[in-house]
Amino acid sequence: MKYLDEFSDPVLAGKLVDQIHAVTTQPWAMMEVCGGQTHSIIRHGIDQLLPDGVEMIHGPGCPVCVTPLEIIDKALAIAEQPGVIFCSFGDMLRVPGSSLDLFSIKSAGGDVRVVYSPLDALKLARENPDRQVVFFGIGFETTAPANAMTVFQAKLHDIRNFSLLVSHVLVPPAMAAIMESPKCRVQAFLAAGHVCSVMGTSEYPALAEKYRVPIVVTGFEPLDILEGIRRTVIQLESGRHELENAYSRAVTAEGNVAAMAMLRDVFEVTDRTWRGIGMIPLSGWKLSERYADYDAETRFSVSDIHTAESALCRSGEVLQGLIKPHECEAFGKECTPRKPLGATMVSSEGACAAYYTYRRLDHLELSETRLVEA
């Protein structure tokens, strides 16, 4: 197939669904790691086409959602300082901190700007030598290379009024942490294709072997996801636990060698706290010693900010796949896209936002009503 719309072909989708039904003999629970995959599954109703008992568990692969509350509060503390131009992608501006969000800082007079690339922030630093320009660098291995390149360029050109607030996290340690949980129900993973397009697939065979779970690298279109599910079910039914690449048009085993070299130069692995989940050892990046002068946490002395999560918001359980969004008592009531309690309702990749946008709660209530009436 050559064009994107071909990956939504309903005839081919129907054939894949039939094949999944044909090979399924018992219940299985698999986790799609990426929030983009979650939205595609809910938007297209893919989970409703699967055999009874085949459950899609929504994983923690939403970069906005897993950014911890204390990092948001550090961003707010930096953004409200005089002389600072605080730059971020737009999806972070409405993520709530302890009491405010970046939109609130902007409306109160703070210079908060939406950019489309970290290099836009570096350009602002060049154009405003009397201002401190900070870029909010969040996300998984997918967005990290661009942020690393920006810091590299800042050092190369001696641009000293630029810094990076880093909150990068890594997918494989999170998958391991999920499997280590005593409440884990995950029997297989659909791995995030865009992460693997950068990092390759070398880290996944060991995970598949250690935890005896199939891992299938999967894309984001309906046919991508259905093919990933089909391959996963075949492995589960046959008792195999291997890595498979079902996204070969974008993912190679070796990954993006140049991007990984840049990451190794600019960052070093560190422990990271995930919003709603807690600290996962060696699950993130920080700036390496060579680039430490560009660390916004140090430059603005906000390293000591520590905050507690909302007791009402159950986004941590959603991110771990322990509950579905509609099982949170605040979902659609105290927590809506207009007044979110947590990042899973704010982010365009958050599971709660997907359920709210596509009215999945209404569908479930209707289904339950029909079952009662029957």
Side-chain angles (χ1 to χ4, degrees), residues 10-317:
V11 175
L12 292 177
K15 291 180 179 178
L16 285 171
V17 169
D18 289 343
Q19 291 174 25
I20 293 168
H21 278 261
V23 299
T24 302
T25 65
Q26 58 184 299
W28 301 110
M30 65 188 76
M31 172 177 282
E32 82 280 0
V33 172
C34 178
Q37 292 169 339
T38 299
H39 269 254
S40 188
I41 289 168
I42 302 304
R43 176 187 177 189
H44 297 286
I46 290 173
D47 56 330
Q48 298 168 347
L49 300 175
L50 300 178
D52 291 342
V54 175
E55 179 186 0
M56 302 306 301
I57 299 176
H58 312 315
C62 163
V64 175
C65 303
V66 301
T67 303
L69 187 62
E70 65 182 44
I71 290 288
I72 305 298
D73 284 348
K74 290 173 183 178
L76 298 173
I78 294 170
E80 65 185 0
Q81 294 191 27
V84 169
I85 301 175
F86 193 90
C87 300
S88 172
F89 294 143
D91 55 2
M92 292 303 298
L93 266 65
R94 293 190 59 246
V95 179
S98 295
S99 57
L100 300 171
D101 57 27
L102 285 168
F103 261 134
S104 301
I105 298 296
K106 184 176 178 66
S107 65
D111 195 345
V112 177
R113 305 191 191 186
V114 173
V115 295
Y116 297 95
S117 163
L119 291 171
D120 293 341
L122 190 63
K123 181 181 178 184
L124 283 171
R126 286 195 183 98
E127 295 171 347
N128 297 271
D130 58 333
R131 307 278 300 277
Q132 287 290 327
V133 177
V134 181
F135 180 73
F136 199 178
I138 73 152
F140 294 95
E141 297 93 329
T142 317
T143 56
N147 294 339
M149 174 57 77
T150 304
V151 176
F152 175 84
Q153 291 290 328
K155 184 176 179 66
L156 180 67
H157 297 287
D158 198 27
I159 303 172
R160 302 190 180 188
N161 63 322
F162 173 83
S163 58
L164 187 70
L165 180 60
V166 183
S167 185
H168 280 303
V169 288
L170 307 175
V171 168
M175 294 168 64
I178 288 168
M179 293 306 301
E180 296 283 354
S181 170
K183 297 180 180 179
C184 177
R185 298 185 297 111
V186 176
Q187 297 170 291
F189 287 99
L190 300 184
H194 54 3
V195 170
C196 295
S197 70
V198 175
M199 303 301 291
T201 59
S202 62
E203 295 179 272
Y204 295 96
L207 286 173
E209 180 62 32
K210 180 177 180 179
Y211 298 107
R212 303 184 68 79
V213 290
I215 300 176
V216 179
V217 181
T218 309
F220 306 89
E221 300 304 315
L223 296 189
D224 289 324
I225 293 170
L226 286 168
E227 172 62 8
I229 293 170
R230 186 188 71 84
R231 294 194 188 198
T232 303
V233 171
I234 289 173
Q235 281 205 49
L236 289 167
E237 290 281 342
S238 62
R240 293 187 290 117
H241 46 275
E242 302 167 2
L243 169 72
E244 288 189 53
N245 182 6
Y247 197 37
S248 58
R249 70 181 187 275
V251 173
T252 61
E254 63 272 14
N256 187 322
V257 176
M260 288 191 288
M262 180 60 66
L263 291 169
R264 287 192 298 269
D265 179 39
V266 175
F267 294 122
E268 61 184 52
V269 175
T270 186
D271 300 341
R272 274 287 173 200
T273 299
W274 295 53
R275 187 166 195 165
I277 297 176
M279 195 276 289
I280 301 176
L282 304 177
S283 67
W285 278 312
K286 65 178 180 179
L287 289 171
S288 64
E289 187 63 31
R290 184 181 174 190
Y291 298 91
D293 290 344
Y294 294 90
D295 186 348
E297 280 196 49
T298 303
R299 184 173 295 187
F300 293 94
S301 302
V302 296
S303 298
D304 292 334
I305 293 178
H306 301 287
T307 47
E309 302 284 347
S310 166
L312 186 59
C313 177
R314 299 178 67 185
S315 61
E317 294 171 83

